[in-house]
Amino acid sequence: MSRLVVVSNRVPVPAKGGAAASAGGLAVALQAALQARGGIWMGWSGNSSGDNEPGPLSLHEDGKITFALTDLTDRDVEEYYSGFANRVLWPICHYRLDLAEYGRQEMAGYFRVNRFFAHRLAPLLKPDDTIWIHDYHLIPLAAELRQMGVKNRIGFFHHIPWPPADVLAAMPVHEEIMRGLAAYDLVGFQTDRDLENFAGCLRREEMGDAIGDGRFTAGDKVFKGGAYGIGIETAAFAEFARKAVGHSMVRKARQSIEGRQLIIGVDRLDYSKGLTQRIDAFEHFVLSNPAHQRQVTYLQVTPKSRSEVPEYEKMQRTVAEQAGRVNGALGTVDWVPIRYINRSLSRPILAGLYRLAKVGLVTPLRDGMNLVAKEYVAAQDPDDPGVLVLSRFAGAARELKGALLVNPYDMVGTSNALARALNMPLEERRERWQRMMDYLLEHDVSRWCDDFLGDLAAEPQAMPASPTSHAAN
């Protein structure tokens, strides 16, 4: 088994005592794969070296894993991260052409930092290492490594949506981005629709095409593409949620809602999450269903995100003001309809709150997968499960067939789905939950990791079609 080298923008370095700084399922799965194979996890430290060139890589050993972190300059952070990655690629991939801010300087910085990552990574590599690069920050990294003569097998997984050709083509450097993806041996997307969009981009730009068996051409290069819906550590999270109900903060939360039905939304503060549309839908639900007034509480947990980007700071104010307006209009002395928390909660508290909630309200305008939807399902009490109300534009909608699917732009439709969820009979709730839970147990994050690495290790013609890797035809 070859050594594994993972590269991502940020790295969850274990804290003292071996606990991961980020306890999310992705970190758990990748660390398990790295421990099994031995390897390196490289990325940005999150720190800036100011105007000075970054110092040497900071190396941290944890078992068979070497965590390799690099600082970036202030200019790097502004151009590569805050600039091109989050003001161009993120909105484009989420179909928001109106929010994309193009700047040649930021574009140049994005490619420059990827070249910098390549030069820092290359000396650490061994000839038989398998390299797995993650997400939109690092699309050009394989091309930079290839220019340096690196011949290792390199895979890329795109965690966010991939847009159709007409949307991608609005980005001035879309051809360079597509050529960057063609430098990989395997490119993975969250859903079959993302994969279809990618194939359409190749055809529309006359750069290449799908040739069957999960293979694509781009120029004289043949590479593989597949859909690999990322999972969670399903069984472990279910047990985690069962125990979390006894957490003191969760008990206080249960007491504070005073027997009312709880609706929960958990999202990073981002315009792709549909927060304002969701609050409008909840307000419509309360006004249209008098029997539920004072009988339901909507808890929205929304940690701050990318506060250095002006659009996000403005959104934080907008969402807080909207929640305050609804509470002012509908609330009473003893009932606050919306509880809006603008900070992170610990994972045990979140798991316990998921289990308390009768409805998980997950309505992004566009999302690559959305693991909150999967965590909500895994956290439910099998004897009395809640109902997942899920946006049809989340990747999870392709997998979680027991959810109530909604169009997040349709306020009335989402409001009606809330009413249906809160009034759903126990037998139907159990049947819907069991269907989703069975899927999540089979398609957990470890299987996602194994499937991707298995396909990356195989030669292009050997790639099989499978339920978790829907190869292009």
Side-chain angles (χ1 to χ4, degrees):
M1 184 182 293
S2 64
R3 194 175 66 155
L4 179 61
V5 176
V6 173
V7 190
S8 58
N9 177 60
R10 297 297 295 272
V11 180
V13 179
K16 290 181 179 179
S22 169
L26 175 62
V28 170
L30 289 177
Q31 289 193 29
L34 282 161
Q35 287 285 12
R37 294 167 171 257
I40 297 169
W41 194 338
M42 180 193 167
W44 175 34
S45 65
N47 299 322
S48 171
S49 59
D51 294 332
N52 301 318
E53 284 299 307
L57 281 172
S58 175
L59 303 178
H60 304 266
E61 303 287 340
D62 182 65
K64 296 167 69 175
I65 308 174
T66 298
F67 293 90
L69 284 77
T70 183
D71 294 347
L72 296 174
T73 66
D74 285 344
R75 178 188 173 201
D76 289 340
V77 174
E78 175 57 32
E79 294 176 1
Y80 147 79
Y81 181 72
S82 299
F84 190 76
N86 287 323
R87 291 201 188 109
V88 180
L89 279 174
W90 179 270
I92 287 287
C93 287
H94 288 85
Y95 299 55
R96 291 300 302 270
L97 294 176
D98 58 314
L99 295 177
E101 298 180 18
Y102 306 106
R104 290 287 170 183
Q105 185 173 332
E106 285 75 17
M107 292 177 188
Y110 176 76
F111 287 95
R112 182 186 69 248
V113 171
N114 271 270
R115 192 173 309 118
F116 170 75
F117 269 69
H119 282 277
R120 294 225 139 178
L121 177 62
L124 305 178
L125 297 175
K126 296 178 180 179
D128 64 342
D129 284 346
T130 296
I131 305 170
W132 192 2
I133 295 167
H134 288 264
D135 227 357
Y136 61 103
H137 312 84
L138 300 171
I139 291 173
L141 185 51
E144 297 291 348
L145 290 168
R146 298 298 188 208
Q147 287 186 3
M148 298 174 65
V150 173
K151 300 186 184 302
N152 302 58
R153 296 196 71 76
I154 310 178
F156 175 82
F157 188 76
H158 191 71
H159 289 259
I160 65 177
W162 187 263
D166 281 345
V167 176
L168 186 74
M171 182 167 57
V173 289
H174 67 277
E175 291 183 349
E176 289 91 332
I177 293 295
M178 291 295 292
R179 281 195 289 269
L181 289 172
Y184 290 91
D185 295 291
L186 173 62
V187 180
F189 298 95
Q190 294 278 19
T191 71
D192 52 346
R193 290 177 178 170
D194 295 315
L195 185 61
E196 290 166 4
N197 283 344
F198 174 71
C201 291
L202 283 175
R203 283 192 295 271
R204 180 74 67 86
E205 298 302 316
E206 299 182 346
M207 296 178 66
D209 205 348
I211 58 174
D213 297 324
R215 293 178 297 160
F216 293 87
T217 59
D220 59 356
K221 175 76 189 294
V222 176
F223 61 102
K224 296 186 290 186
Y228 305 83
I230 191 170
I232 62 170
E233 71 283 29
T234 311
F237 193 83
E239 178 64 14
F240 193 53
R242 188 185 65 79
K243 293 179 178 177
V245 173
H247 192 287
S248 60
M249 290 300 294
V250 177
R251 288 201 306 270
K252 289 178 181 178
R254 186 194 300 111
Q255 293 166 2
S256 74
I257 61 176
E258 299 174 336
R260 297 185 175 99
Q261 293 176 302
L262 178 65
I263 299 169
I264 191 169
V266 179
D267 307 82
R268 189 169 48 79
L269 185 66
D270 189 273
Y271 49 77
S272 67
K273 301 301 183 183
L275 294 171
T276 58
Q277 291 87 346
R278 191 183 305 172
I279 293 173
D280 284 341
F282 175 76
E283 180 182 23
H284 185 275
F285 160 74
V286 172
L287 291 172
S288 303
N289 294 272
H292 282 287
Q293 290 185 19
R294 302 181 62 175
Q295 301 303 312
V296 65
T297 295
Y298 166 30
L299 171 63
Q300 179 61 51
V301 181
T302 306
K304 295 179 183 179
S305 169
R306 300 170 186 156
S307 299
E308 71 281 357
V309 180
E311 294 84 359
Y312 290 85
E313 186 176 354
K314 180 181 178 182
M315 172 172 294
Q316 182 179 327
R317 291 195 302 271
T318 300
V319 175
E321 289 169 2
Q322 187 181 11
R325 179 190 61 77
V326 173
N327 283 335
L330 302 180
T332 62
V333 172
D334 62 344
W335 177 51
V336 179
I338 301 175
R339 297 187 182 185
Y340 178 57
I341 299 177
N342 198 203
R343 61 182 178 84
S344 297
L345 297 180
S346 70
R347 211 149 182 254
I349 294 175
L350 272 181
L353 293 174
Y354 286 145
R355 197 173 178 94
L356 285 181
K358 294 301 181 183
V359 177
L361 191 54
V362 183
T363 56
L365 304 180
R366 187 73 56 178
D367 219 336
M369 178 51 64
N370 195 295
L371 297 184
V372 167
K374 295 188 174 184
E375 289 182 345
Y376 176 78
V377 171
Q380 295 308 295
D381 178 353
D383 294 327
D384 186 22
V387 179
L388 176 63
V389 175
L390 178 62
S391 166
R392 63 186 302 121
F393 302 122
R398 301 292 291 160
E399 302 179 1
L400 299 179
K401 303 303 184 183
L404 295 182
L405 296 187
V406 297
N407 176 353
Y409 296 95
D410 179 1
M411 176 184 69
V412 175
T414 304
S415 168
N416 291 341
L418 280 174
R420 182 181 173 190
L422 288 169
N423 293 300
M424 186 178 290
L426 176 59
E427 184 178 352
E428 183 181 354
R429 285 190 280 125
R430 284 175 176 167
E431 188 277 328
R432 286 176 173 273
W433 173 80
Q434 192 66 61
R435 196 186 326 167
M436 294 188 288
M437 189 63 173
D438 288 346
Y439 182 92
L440 293 179
L441 286 167
E442 182 179 353
H443 300 89
D444 66 3
V445 71
S446 296
R447 174 166 172 176
W448 168 82
C449 191
D450 292 342
D451 284 350
F452 186 95
L453 291 174
D455 286 348
L456 178 57
E459 292 302 314
Q461 63 271 24
M463 182 178 178
S466 69
T468 55
S469 177
H470 307 293
N473 294 311

